[in-house]
Amino acid sequence: MKQLTAKEEEIMNHYWTYGNMQIRELQSHYDDPKPHVNTLSTMAKILEEKGFLCHRALSARCFQYFARISREDYRGGSLANVVNKFFGHSYLNAVSALVKEEKLSIEELKQLIREVEEE
């Protein structure tokens, strides 16, 4: 799965949160100063080329964009990319690094194991 830049992820978060939108609707979800419509339109086209958005024509020059993949699918793919790239395809190595760097305590790890076992 291709990765998103910070700006692309920001746009996708709007689509994941608010659903199908035209570019002007997307623009309305930004604080001032709002990004220009042309900028958002270009970004939407890039996201469509990357496979994250699709569009349907509402009229000759008016399109409604919608997310092609879910936020959950993107997160899963992103996590897999990080694990593969930095931890030699090993989730165990990733968790071990979190514990060693004290980002995850032993107690939190035990709690996680309990929760998984209960499922």
Side-chain angles (χ1 to χ4, degrees):
M1 175 181 296
K2 294 183 179 183
Q3 294 299 298
L4 297 172
T5 66
K7 289 293 181 190
E8 291 169 345
E9 191 169 339
E10 181 178 279
I11 290 170
M12 286 306 300
N13 278 321
H14 288 300
Y15 279 99
W16 288 322
T17 300
Y18 302 108
N20 305 353
M21 289 182 285
Q22 297 173 36
I23 297 301
R24 290 234 181 252
E25 293 171 293
L26 172 63
Q27 184 190 42
S28 73
H29 292 290
Y30 281 87
D31 294 328
D32 289 327
K34 296 179 184 304
H36 194 276
V37 170
N38 290 344
T39 301
L40 292 174
S41 182
T42 299
M43 295 297 295
K45 289 174 187 171
I46 291 169
L47 286 165
E48 191 168 22
E49 289 170 6
K50 286 185 166 186
F52 288 94
L53 288 178
C54 286
H55 77 273
R56 65 177 63 85
L58 300 177
S59 66
R61 294 181 40 115
C62 185
F63 301 104
Q64 183 180 58
Y65 289 88
F66 55 95
R68 187 171 180 186
I69 67 164
S70 70
R71 186 186 318 245
E72 293 73 26
D73 287 343
Y74 178 68
R75 282 183 185 156
S78 295
L79 179 59
N81 286 338
V82 168
V83 169
N84 293 342
K85 184 175 181 177
F86 296 107
F87 300 101
H89 302 271
S90 170
Y91 284 86
L92 181 60
N93 288 347
V95 172
S96 177
L98 291 172
V99 172
K100 287 177 185 172
E101 294 175 15
E102 298 179 4
K103 305 290 185 197
L104 182 66
S105 71
I106 299 295
E107 190 52 46
E108 289 171 322
L109 187 55
K110 288 177 183 178
Q111 177 63 33
L112 178 61
I113 291 168
R114 283 192 297 273
E115 290 174 8
V116 169
E117 289 176 339
E118 289 173 5
E119 289 179 6

